[in-house]
Amino acid sequence: MENIFGSVHYNSIAVHMKEEFGCRVVKLALDGGFTCPNRDGTKGTGGCIYCSESGSGDFASDVPSQIRLISPKWPEAKYMAYFQNHTNTYASVERLRGLWDKALSYPDVVGLAIATRPDCLPDDVLNLLSEYNEKTYLWVELGLQTSRDDTAVLINRCYETSVFEDAMKTLKKRGIRVVVHEILGLPGENSSDALNTALYAASFGPFGIKLHMLHVMEGTRLGEMYAKAPFPIMTKEEYVNTVVDILERTPQSVTVHRLTGDAPRSALIAPDWTKNKHVVLGAIQHEFSVRNSFQGKYT
């Protein structure tokens, strides 16, 4: 295996999209006004314990306002409409079609990214996704977070890992790109658990992965848990080493969509080191260089 990614060391989605469209492609984080089945009582209440009221979409807004902000910096850019908050297939196909059509109607919006849960993909929604997959650049993002069912119960994920497996197989069979989310540093988990989740996700041949550190935030049940009984939090060094361990064992075909995450500074309780995203990304690049390594080295 050789390093085909140069100084980047991994298969960056930014590079992939530039090769696909011939220019920078920027994601527009959108709030479609959805909820989740583990919030509305269908499967649970309160949502996942780390999730804020915004449903992990604290920076989401609408298409026109985001394009106005972005276009002066990257006037030649194209855009992916990213439905981020809560569960973005948890609605009727009529409502979904209306939202997706409106997003795609804006100039220079070239595709859709739909964040959802694997237990919210009924046949009619799958058929709709297949339809849009034929006419635009589409991927579906599934929030796995962990492959350990005991951790899934702790974080109130409200579905078993076998449900994720079924959803992955179904989406892959339909030729729909899938991006898998994983959170590192969940309560009771260590670096080995995070690596095992990543290897499990990679075994299904996803289009992409998203990795980020657990954020303990004010206004969440996780924040309340941490205040009452603080649990171990990964250090930056532990996180960086785990990310590189994961990518070394991730096939080179898998695109990397995120290696760290943002949280509102005013709400973040821990870990404080996640506030400086560029430092974390720089540390990951440095670790790759120190190891003389790259994505897929051990696949």
Side-chain angles (χ1 to χ4, degrees):
M1 188 68 67
E2 63 176 333
N3 181 12
I4 62 175
F5 308 115
S7 60
V8 179
H9 303 288
Y10 59 87
N11 187 6
S12 163
I13 184 60
V15 174
H16 174 88
M17 295 299 278
K18 190 170 185 178
E19 291 173 350
E20 186 77 25
F21 291 97
C23 63
R24 179 184 290 270
V25 178
V26 182
K27 282 199 304 184
L28 308 175
L30 307 178
D31 182 354
F34 296 96
T35 184
C36 292
N38 65 342
R39 280 185 177 271
D40 66 8
T42 301
K43 291 196 170 182
T45 57
C48 295
I49 62 172
Y50 49 76
C51 203
S52 65
E53 283 299 316
S54 68
S56 298
D58 298 277
F59 304 105
S61 60
D62 59 90
V63 173
S65 63
Q66 290 192 65
I67 290 179
R68 281 196 299 271
L69 286 172
I70 294 168
S71 58
K73 185 175 182 180
W74 297 305
E76 304 301 321
K78 305 293 184 184
Y79 305 101
M80 286 286 291
Y82 175 34
F83 286 90
Q84 180 181 20
N85 299 48
H86 299 300
T87 303
N88 293 276
T89 58
Y90 194 44
S92 68
V93 292
E94 291 78 18
R95 182 182 173 196
L96 296 175
R97 185 185 296 278
L99 287 168
W100 299 352
D101 282 348
K102 182 177 180 181
L104 290 170
S105 71
Y106 291 98
D108 296 324
V109 173
V110 295
L112 295 170
I114 311 295
T116 190
R117 293 165 54 93
D119 57 350
C120 291
L121 293 168
D123 286 344
D124 57 349
V125 170
L126 286 167
N127 290 337
L128 187 67
L129 287 167
S130 293
E131 176 187 330
Y132 279 78
N133 194 46
E134 291 294 321
K135 62 184 180 182
T136 193
Y137 200 92
L138 171 79
W139 69 67
V140 172
E141 303 194 0
L142 295 182
L144 172 62
Q145 320 309 1
T146 178
S147 59
R148 281 181 48 175
D149 278 327
D150 59 337
T151 305
V153 172
L154 175 65
I155 65 175
N156 198 43
R157 193 179 69 183
C158 292
Y159 74 81
E160 295 181 349
T161 302
S162 60
V163 177
F164 166 83
E165 186 168 332
D166 291 341
M168 279 293 300
K169 290 177 179 178
T170 299
L171 290 165
K172 288 275 291 181
K173 187 175 181 180
R174 288 172 175 260
I176 296 172
R177 302 174 188 87
V178 183
V179 177
V180 182
H181 290 220
E182 179 187 351
I183 295 177
L184 282 65
L186 289 166
E189 293 200 354
N190 55 31
S191 294
S192 294
D193 295 309
L195 179 57
N196 287 336
T197 293
L199 292 173
Y200 171 76
S203 70
F204 297 99
F207 166 66
I209 57 170
K210 275 188 172 181
L211 307 175
H212 67 84
M213 179 61 196
L214 178 71
H215 289 134
V216 182
M217 294 194 297
E218 297 280 1
T220 65
R221 283 189 285 169
L222 183 67
E224 295 171 3
M225 287 170 54
Y226 190 74
K228 292 177 182 177
F231 49 83
I233 297 287
M234 273 186 175
T235 65
K236 185 181 76 174
E237 291 72 23
E238 288 171 332
Y239 180 79
V240 167
N241 276 283
T242 304
V243 167
V244 176
D245 287 344
I246 287 171
L247 291 182
E248 287 177 331
R249 293 158 180 83
T250 299
Q252 293 188 337
S253 60
V254 178
T255 54
V256 179
H257 294 237
R258 178 184 291 165
L259 291 180
T260 185
D262 297 305
R265 287 173 175 264
S266 60
L268 183 66
I269 298 171
D272 191 65
W273 55 261
T274 61
K275 290 180 179 178
N276 197 326
K277 182 176 181 178
H278 295 294
V279 169
V280 178
L281 292 174
I284 292 170
Q285 293 286 7
H286 178 70
E287 183 61 25
F288 269 121
S289 296
V290 167
R291 297 188 190 189
N292 190 26
S293 193
F294 50 88
Q295 180 179 333
K297 183 175 183 178
Y298 299 126
T299 57

